[in-house]
Amino acid sequence: LCVCGVALFIPLVWQLYKLQITEHDYYQNLAVEYQTSDTTVTANRGTIYDANGETLAISATVYNLILSPRDALEKQESVDEQAAKDPDSYWNVNETIVDYLTSEFGISEERVRSQLEKTTYQYIVMVTDIEDDQAKEIRSFISENKLTYALYLSPTTKRYYPYSATAAHVIGFLGYTEDSGDQKVGAYGVEANYEETLAGKAGRVVTAKNASGTEMLSSYQAYMDAEDGSDITLTIDAQIQSMAEQALEAGIEKYYIQKGGFVIVMEPNTGAILAMASSPDYDPNQYSQVIDSRSTAELESLAAQYGEDSEEYQSALSLAQQNQWRNKALSDGYEPGSTFKALVVAAALEEGVVSLTDTFYCPGHASYGGWTIKCHKAAGHGSQTLTQVLENSCNVGLMEIAQRMGAETFWQYLEDYGLFDQTGIDLSGEGKSVFWAGGKEYFTSANGLSSLAVASFGQTFKITPIRMIASFASVINGGHLLEPYVVEKISDSDGNTVSYHETTEVRQVISEETSSKIREMLESVVANGTGKNAYMAGYRIGGKT
């Protein structure tokens, strides 16, 4: 009897060894998974302000309605056990959920049933961005129908942009990415570039639950605080931004521009961007909605011809959305044209190959590298001083100045002005410059004579608008090439400044003396030359058309 008793205990000891030693971790994790509920506590996203403290982006708490098929199955098993004792207590958990989601939210019955079949899942988002009033009704339904954990609300945030489309290309918006799951993250602009700063860190609440899915708060609870995101103050001034957007819209309408445009306003002594407008624009509150009239007309035509589900329509819609989200001032290359002439004259003055007393003769054209290149004034400007070359925006005068500098020196100043590099602005998506095939070797060879001539008045190459304004600022601010920026400071949730942007100098391009001369020459362009439309009595205004 003793031997038989010991023999009977051997399998039991072996099973205990497996449970406690070899498979301990597996069953411990399984127990934790079934006996605890882990809920994410969303951190409050930081607010974005303009330079004057106006709110440009703010978050409010909303909720996602989550379905847990696994908990729904466990609930049904619990109901079945109770019904075995009391048949009148039976009810169908899945049917209750299906009826509710289809009737209240218009979700297809097929979709709800297919999701309920995923019984290993605990977290399937069924409805997003639920406001407080509706959330209260949902909680009442869950409580009355004893569907705790099978259905539940997960707090999240919804981003609001009080100024709608104002500075949309700088601010950006929140959207879904491949790695974000059901949580929206910064998709463009400051929202994307400062995602970690604005988002903060989510917290967690872990509680024990019994077999029926009811929380046992007295048994176990662990709470890890969420860390709210920091607030950001931009250099953007909402009033200046609004004026820039109005000017852009008026210019596009007046000249019937087909592909949009851009405006940048920058403080040249710091690099702070006061306004950055791009067209077409969009409303980040409804970022997927196309608002450009030409694009909407095209989409309506395609919808009528092929239907909104067609490949033709969807492809055009995606292209229109990408186009309106694109910040042309940051990413698109363009030929700077005559505005580039100020940079060439500044470099020539710095090198000493020209002086304010020099004269230049323009017959209306000049020949370089076997090409005859015309001035915009076919009859020519005749004899001019250096200042008058800028006033008249004379191409022939600029070509002669470039030849005096030489291709090697000209190329060096392209590098010094930062035209081959990223500006360092704290926004993503900065485009690249496009210069001549063959690069420096071609440009400085005999074959590059005509390219040197035409480059002197800003043609045959492309740079981004942000590069152009940064390099232009360097010729009027004392010669300092600065990094442009849009974020002035970062503050924590208590209002304490944790980071403040300091002016960052890349290099000194020209001297203060040369810069002073250029400022006077550009003022003369507005007072006496092609920039007369910008003249205003009582103000010293410089510019280059």
Side-chain angles (χ1 to χ4, degrees):
L1 287 174
C2 183
V3 170
C4 290
V6 171
L8 289 173
F9 270 98
I10 290 174
L12 179 60
V13 171
W14 172 246
Q15 188 65 19
L16 286 172
Y17 177 81
K18 283 177 60 182
L19 291 174
Q20 295 290 344
I21 306 299
T22 60
E23 298 180 359
H24 172 268
D25 291 343
Y26 168 76
Y27 284 106
Q28 184 181 53
N29 292 334
L30 198 62
V32 169
E33 187 176 352
Y34 276 91
Q35 296 170 11
T36 62
S37 172
D38 191 342
T39 305
T40 300
V41 179
T42 305
N44 293 319
R45 191 175 183 86
T47 302
I48 300 176
Y49 300 99
D50 88 330
N52 300 312
E54 297 292 329
T55 301
L56 300 178
I58 192 170
S59 294
T61 300
V62 292
Y63 301 88
N64 292 339
L65 180 58
I66 310 301
L67 170 66
S68 173
R70 196 179 80 181
D71 285 285
L73 177 62
E74 290 180 12
K75 184 67 179 178
Q76 187 64 61
E77 292 172 350
S78 177
V79 169
D80 292 343
E81 289 179 9
Q82 182 65 28
K85 304 173 185 176
D86 179 11
D88 293 336
S89 67
Y90 178 80
W91 58 285
N92 192 301
V93 175
N94 281 6
E95 290 304 317
T96 303
I97 293 173
V98 171
D99 290 344
Y100 180 67
L101 294 181
T102 54
S103 62
E104 291 297 319
F105 302 101
I107 305 173
S108 69
E109 182 177 329
E110 180 182 3
R111 182 192 168 202
V112 179
R113 292 190 186 282
S114 67
Q115 299 291 25
L116 283 166
E117 291 175 0
K118 300 175 181 178
T119 53
T120 59
Y121 288 73
Q122 275 188 297
Y123 194 93
I124 299 176
V125 179
M126 301 302 292
V127 186
T128 61
D129 294 342
I130 298 170
E131 304 284 353
D132 277 334
D133 291 344
Q134 191 177 17
K136 291 177 182 177
E137 296 176 1
I138 294 172
R139 289 192 188 95
S140 296
F141 172 82
I142 292 172
S143 178
E144 292 169 3
N145 290 273
K146 301 178 181 178
L147 288 172
T148 304
Y149 292 114
L151 281 177
Y152 60 94
L153 291 171
S154 174
T156 184
T157 57
K158 183 177 180 179
R159 203 65 161 166
Y160 295 93
Y161 302 90
Y163 280 76
S164 299
T166 300
H169 293 94
V170 175
I171 300 168
F173 58 87
L174 302 188
Y176 297 105
T177 66
E178 293 182 359
D179 301 325
S180 67
D182 66 303
Q183 294 293 324
K184 287 184 176 181
V185 296
Y188 282 84
V190 171
E191 293 278 31
N193 225 46
Y194 287 84
E195 169 63 24
E196 292 186 7
T197 299
L198 289 163
K201 294 182 180 179
R204 295 172 64 195
V205 177
V206 181
T207 57
K209 63 178 182 178
N210 58 25
S212 62
T214 304
E215 285 189 11
M216 300 187 298
L217 298 179
S218 60
S219 174
Y220 176 78
Q221 183 179 44
Y223 188 91
M224 283 146 276
D225 290 331
E227 295 180 20
D228 291 341
S230 297
D231 298 331
I232 286 179
T233 299
L234 303 181
T235 58
I236 298 293
D237 184 311
Q239 293 185 2
I240 298 176
Q241 177 72 31
S242 180
M243 288 187 283
E245 291 172 0
Q246 290 171 18
L248 177 57
E249 183 179 358
I252 286 174
E253 183 177 350
K254 181 177 180 179
Y255 298 105
Y256 199 63
I257 302 301
Q258 297 294 304
K259 295 183 179 181
F262 54 85
V263 173
I264 306 177
V265 183
M266 187 170 84
E267 165 53 62
N269 294 313
T270 64
I273 302 297
L274 307 181
M276 181 181 281
S278 184
S279 175
D281 61 0
Y282 67 96
D283 182 354
N285 292 300
Q286 298 173 306
Y287 59 85
S288 61
Q289 181 178 339
V290 177
I291 61 177
D292 177 61
S293 58
R294 294 188 184 91
S295 297
T296 53
E298 180 186 351
L299 290 171
E300 288 171 2
S301 175
L302 289 171
Q305 185 176 0
Y306 300 104
E308 292 189 0
D309 295 330
S310 66
E311 183 178 343
E312 290 83 358
Y313 177 86
Q314 291 298 324
S315 177
L317 174 62
S318 177
L319 185 63
Q321 290 172 336
Q322 294 293 332
N323 188 42
Q324 71 179 11
W325 297 336
R326 187 178 182 88
N327 187 348
K328 288 182 169 62
L330 185 70
S331 59
D332 284 16
Y334 81 115
E335 288 186 319
S338 294
T339 53
F340 189 73
K341 293 173 182 177
L343 279 64
V344 177
V345 174
L349 281 169
E350 184 70 16
E351 290 298 309
V353 297
V354 297
S355 69
L356 294 178
T357 58
D358 287 354
T359 58
F360 302 82
Y361 183 78
C362 171
H365 59 84
S367 296
Y368 294 99
W371 293 85
T372 298
I373 305 167
K374 295 180 180 180
C375 187
H376 65 86
K377 186 177 180 180
H381 293 101
S383 182
Q384 313 163 91
T385 66
L386 181 63
T387 298
Q388 287 173 329
V389 168
L390 269 188
E391 287 178 359
N392 297 326
S393 198
C394 178
N395 292 349
V396 172
L398 264 295
M399 287 189 279
E400 182 178 339
I401 292 170
Q403 297 302 320
R404 291 190 189 184
M405 289 176 61
E408 287 277 357
T409 302
F410 193 98
W411 186 275
Q412 183 60 51
Y413 272 92
L414 293 178
E415 293 182 350
D416 291 346
Y417 282 127
L419 301 183
F420 299 120
D421 307 320
Q422 300 284 294
T423 63
I425 191 171
D426 47 349
L427 289 172
S428 300
E430 186 175 350
K432 296 181 178 180
S433 299
V434 179
F435 285 92
W436 308 273
K440 182 178 180 180
E441 183 178 350
Y442 160 78
F443 188 73
T444 55
S445 69
N447 294 326
L449 278 177
S450 59
S451 292
L452 171 62
V454 179
S456 69
F457 50 88
Q459 295 184 15
T460 69
F461 65 92
K462 290 184 178 182
I463 57 176
T464 57
I466 191 65
R467 279 191 185 85
M468 183 59 207
I469 197 169
S471 58
F472 197 98
S474 72
V475 305
I476 63 171
N477 68 5
H480 309 284
L481 182 65
L482 307 176
E483 283 189 1
Y485 63 99
V486 297
V487 172
E488 186 71 49
K489 67 176 181 177
I490 298 172
S491 307
D492 62 23
S493 55
D494 296 323
N496 302 310
T497 299
V498 297
S499 175
Y500 191 89
H501 190 281
E502 300 290 342
T503 299
T504 303
E505 181 170 342
V506 180
R507 70 180 67 88
Q508 180 101 19
V509 182
I510 59 174
S511 66
E512 173 60 55
E513 181 183 2
T514 299
S515 180
S516 179
K517 291 177 182 178
I518 286 291
R519 286 198 298 271
E520 292 178 3
M521 295 171 73
L522 293 175
E523 184 179 359
S524 187
V525 170
V526 173
N528 308 306
T530 58
K532 287 181 179 179
N533 284 345
Y535 178 80
M536 186 177 293
Y539 292 87
R540 297 185 63 191
I541 299 174
K544 182 71 195 76
T545 54

